[in-house]
Amino acid sequence: MGGINGIETGERIRNIDNHAVIVFVTSYMTYASKCYSSSPLWFLLKPIDGAEFEKMFSAVRKKLARQSKVIAFTYDKTQVRLFCEDIIYCESQDHNTWIYTKDERYRIGKKLSDLSSALDTDTMFRVHKSFVVNFSFIKTISGNEIKLYHCDRTIPISRTYKKEVTENYTKFIERDFCI
């Protein structure tokens, strides 16, 4: 593999993409403990047993089915691909829509209403005509305001969306406790 082993490759992949599904296949059980630094989903030992392969393949399919929705867009002449679970909130401002993550903010040339239909509707909710919030990042809801983790901004909840926000947030919290 060009001077790099599978363990180093797994670590590099994990550093680039936290959502990648990694499966190690090796003839040496001694490598298993070293592989965990890249958080693999599975570890197969050669010769590969058919039943074990089927279990691994089923686990990969389930993980991929559960993964968050992805949105792709161009920002500053660069192709960007974001997992919806990494988005803290989106804001419509001066005929632009801004997407905020922990590390970046991106301006896209879409209306907030168009963007919100492409987002993960299990976690991303409209709370105001100018804001869509990821419920996973809510620290507090107090009155007509939302405070978010990883963000100094207070997001308003409009009267139009208040009842819907309250109902959806309650369902969101209950869903997490029921799992």
Side-chain angles (χ1 to χ4, degrees):
M1 289 186 5
I4 181 172
N5 65 35
I7 295 168
E8 292 169 350
T9 302
E11 289 171 352
R12 286 185 184 185
I13 290 170
R14 184 59 65 222
N15 287 334
I16 293 169
D17 187 348
N18 217 18
H19 303 281
V21 177
I22 298 174
V23 174
F24 283 102
V25 181
T26 185
S27 298
Y28 306 102
M29 189 61 178
T30 55
Y31 290 134
S33 63
K34 295 176 183 172
C35 296
Y36 286 101
S37 61
S38 61
S39 302
L41 178 66
W42 211 269
F43 185 88
L44 288 173
L45 194 58
K46 293 178 188 175
I48 297 171
D49 175 64
E52 186 67 15
F53 180 82
E54 287 296 324
K55 284 176 22 185
M56 177 274 306
F57 194 73
S58 177
V60 168
R61 278 198 336 252
K62 285 179 185 174
K63 181 165 177 65
L64 291 174
R66 282 192 317 263
Q67 278 190 340
S68 180
K69 225 174 168 180
V70 176
I71 61 167
F73 54 90
T74 302
Y75 172 72
D76 200 23
K77 298 180 183 176
T78 303
Q79 292 292 319
V80 178
R81 186 174 157 263
L82 288 178
F83 284 91
C84 289
E85 66 192 40
D86 294 331
I87 298 171
I88 299 172
Y89 72 97
C90 305
E91 177 182 14
S92 175
Q93 185 183 72
D94 300 326
H95 304 291
N96 291 303
T97 298
W98 292 88
I99 298 173
Y100 294 84
T101 67
K102 289 182 203 176
D103 306 315
E104 281 295 330
R105 79 176 196 156
Y106 304 94
R107 183 176 50 85
I108 64 169
K110 284 188 174 184
K111 293 182 195 176
L112 186 59
S113 57
D114 294 338
L115 175 64
S116 59
S117 65
L119 296 171
D120 184 354
T121 56
D122 288 337
T123 57
M124 305 289 295
F125 293 93
R126 191 88 178 243
V127 299
H128 187 277
K129 69 176 183 173
S130 299
F131 293 95
V132 171
V133 171
N134 184 338
F135 278 5
S136 300
F137 287 96
I138 290 179
K139 186 188 296 184
T140 62
I141 297 178
S142 178
N144 292 325
E145 294 182 339
I146 296 174
K147 292 192 180 187
L148 301 166
Y149 290 106
H150 310 291
C151 170
D152 293 334
R153 183 90 184 259
T154 300
I155 308 295
I157 305 172
S158 69
R159 277 182 273 147
T160 306
Y161 292 97
K162 178 71 174 177
K163 183 180 178 193
E164 189 177 351
V165 167
T166 304
E167 289 171 1
N168 285 327
Y169 189 63
T170 300
K171 288 177 188 173
F172 177 81
I173 295 298
E174 287 173 351
R175 184 180 67 224
D176 280 354
F177 281 125
C178 293
I179 292 177

